[in-house]
Structures are given as C-alpha cells and as structure tokens.
Amino acid sequence: MKTEIIKLKRYSIIWIGIAAMLLVVLLSRYMETAADGTLPTFESFSNSVIWNNFSLFFPATITLMSGYIITRERVNDTLKNILTVPVSFRSLLIGKLITVGLIAIFLGVVSFGLTLFIFLLSHYPGLAAKVLVQSFFQMIGINVCVYLAVLPIIILTSHSANGFMAGVGFAFFYGIVGAFASGHDLTSVYPITAGLGIINYQGEEGSSYNLSLCYLTLIAICLISIVLIAVMGKKSKTPAPLTDKFSNKSLRKH
C-alpha cells in the first residue's frame, strides 16, 4: 500500500478523477439553475451533486482509475520484476485495491470542497453547519459504496492490460441503470443504489430505504469480490530456482 501511494505522485490519472468531480459539480450547478429559476439551498445542491456523481460519473471514473493503476505493472513491464521479490499477484492486487479505496475517499473530500466552493461562488442561500457535516460524510460515503459496487468489475478486468476499458464501459452503463432502478423500488437491492440508503440520501420528494437490505447487498458484493480475488489472484510467481551448474558454483563462491 505504501508503495502504491508513493507511485500515485507520478500518475496523471488522479487529475482525471479530480476533473470528473469538478464536472459533476458544474453540471449540478447548471441543472439547479435551469430547473425552475429558484435558488437552491446547500442541501438541495449537494443532493444534486450526489445524484449526478453516483449515476453518471463515479462508477466509470473509479473503474478507469483502478484499471489504470492495476495495469501499470504490465504496461511498464515491471510486473515480472515485482513477482520475483517474491510477491504474489494476489497481494499486489489487494494493495492496489485498498489504495484505490483511499482514492475514492479522497475524491469524496474533493467533491465536497468543490461543491462548497461553487455554492459560495454562486451566492446561494441556506448554508448551515449541520448540513455541511451531513453533506461531507454523504459524499465520502457514496463514493466508497459505489467503489464497492463496481469492485467485482475491476477485479474481473484486472488481468488484462487493455481489458479494463470494457469494464469502464460496463460501469458507466451500470450507473445509468441505477438511476432507473432507484425509481422502481429496487434501490435497496441494486448494488450501485444501495449506497443511497446507507448514506440516507433524500431527494426532492424524500426516499425510504430498507437499510438491512442495503447493507446485505453491499456485503454480498464484498463477498463476491473476495472470492474473485482468491480465485483470480491465485497465481503466485516466485523466482525460478538456479539449477544449472554454473549458477550453483557462483552461489557457493559468494
């Protein structure tokens, strides 16, 4: 994990995540202004950001970032060197996935900061400390929940240098479907929307959730992810033993 976090300093993909969060806030700002002409409160503006983020941007964005980070070792041809440490592919994958989870939390903080900045810049009314705290944790929470929801997709496409792009496309579709699923009493059982219940998201008309089902849905997704890691990350490559005479003589000399 420490190594992966250090590597993030040279990955430009982080800026794509930040740009996506900014785009979500700007889109929400436009939608709130174009809706009916009334000035939104911070709560309604924050809700709009959360909705657009989980349904349009974040599933594909976090899948893209995950795929990029996971496949760097193959693209840069460093995987074979890492596996001779020896480090199993499973351990490498787990470290990268936890790092991406931390990125999801970071992007939630970025999303909140940009939302507050644009809100203050727009001179909207209705800013309260209680709403600020609630929005802060909701934005982080929905990012983590969406990340967990797309985790099986990330793991399934982690073994191919270019395969993760198919996962990005599916994750985008996955999020779009979530916007429709939430309106047909499927919110608590559809993985992408289960996070809405966990963060207690309340839209314009309010929403009711089966909190137990929301948690069970994401727990099931986590269990599926664990099984996939156990099965797909089963290959562990270690250095081949030096069996030839020349190598053995060299080792004895040293």
Side-chain angles (χ1 to χ4, degrees):
M1 283 177 57
K2 182 180 178 181
T3 304
E4 293 302 324
I5 291 172
I6 293 173
K7 288 179 185 177
L8 293 178
K9 295 179 181 179
R10 65 174 187 263
Y11 288 163
S12 58
I13 194 73
I14 299 297
W15 290 105
I16 292 179
I18 295 173
M21 296 302 98
L22 177 60
L23 189 58
V24 170
V25 175
L26 293 178
L27 175 63
S28 302
R29 166 69 169 77
Y30 171 77
M31 292 174 65
E32 285 291 321
T33 303
D36 54 10
T38 59
L39 294 177
T41 62
F42 185 78
E43 184 174 12
S44 65
F45 184 50
S46 173
N47 284 340
S48 180
V49 172
I50 291 172
W51 181 267
N52 290 325
N53 191 35
F54 102 87
S55 61
L56 296 176
F57 290 90
F58 198 68
T61 299
I62 199 64
T63 304
L64 173 64
M65 296 179 71
S66 302
Y68 179 89
I69 291 171
I70 292 171
T71 59
R72 279 304 83 196
E73 316 305 341
R74 284 194 173 86
V75 174
N76 297 334
D77 199 28
T78 56
L79 182 60
K80 60 185 179 183
N81 297 327
I82 292 174
L83 293 177
T84 60
V85 173
V87 175
S88 67
F89 182 76
R90 181 192 295 128
S91 299
L92 185 66
L93 180 60
I94 291 173
K96 288 177 177 289
L97 292 176
I98 294 174
T99 302
V100 177
L102 296 177
I103 293 174
I105 295 173
F106 167 73
L107 291 179
V109 176
V110 170
S111 180
F112 172 79
L114 291 172
T115 300
L116 180 59
F117 176 74
I118 296 298
F119 182 86
L120 294 174
L121 199 65
S122 302
H123 302 290
Y124 289 152
L127 188 63
K130 180 182 178 181
V131 177
L132 281 173
V133 173
Q134 174 182 292
S135 174
F136 176 77
F137 286 106
Q138 282 184 327
M139 288 187 179
I140 293 176
I142 194 64
N143 276 14
V144 172
C145 290
V146 169
Y147 172 60
L148 293 177
V150 299
L151 199 51
I153 300 172
I154 295 169
I155 297 169
L156 283 169
T157 57
S158 64
H159 282 252
S160 173
N162 299 314
F164 74 91
M165 291 306 298
V168 173
F170 183 79
F172 179 75
F173 174 75
Y174 194 22
I176 292 291
V177 172
F180 297 98
S182 62
H184 294 82
D185 299 322
L186 297 174
T187 305
S188 301
V189 296
Y190 191 73
I192 286 285
T193 57
L196 295 176
I198 292 174
I199 68 170
N200 193 29
Y201 172 84
Q202 298 295 322
E204 295 180 2
E205 300 177 356
S207 303
S208 59
Y209 307 98
N210 186 325
L211 196 56
S212 298
L213 272 179
C214 291
Y215 278 108
L216 285 174
T217 299
L218 286 185
I219 289 173
I221 291 295
C222 289
L223 291 175
I224 291 172
S225 301
I226 291 171
V227 171
L228 289 175
I229 291 173
V231 173
M232 299 187 69
K234 204 168 185 179
K235 295 179 180 179
S236 177
K237 297 183 180 180
T238 56
L242 299 174
T243 55
D244 61 285
K245 294 180 180 179
F246 176 78
S247 299
N248 287 332
K249 289 178 181 178
S250 299
L251 288 173
R252 281 196 295 269
K253 287 180 181 180
H254 289 288

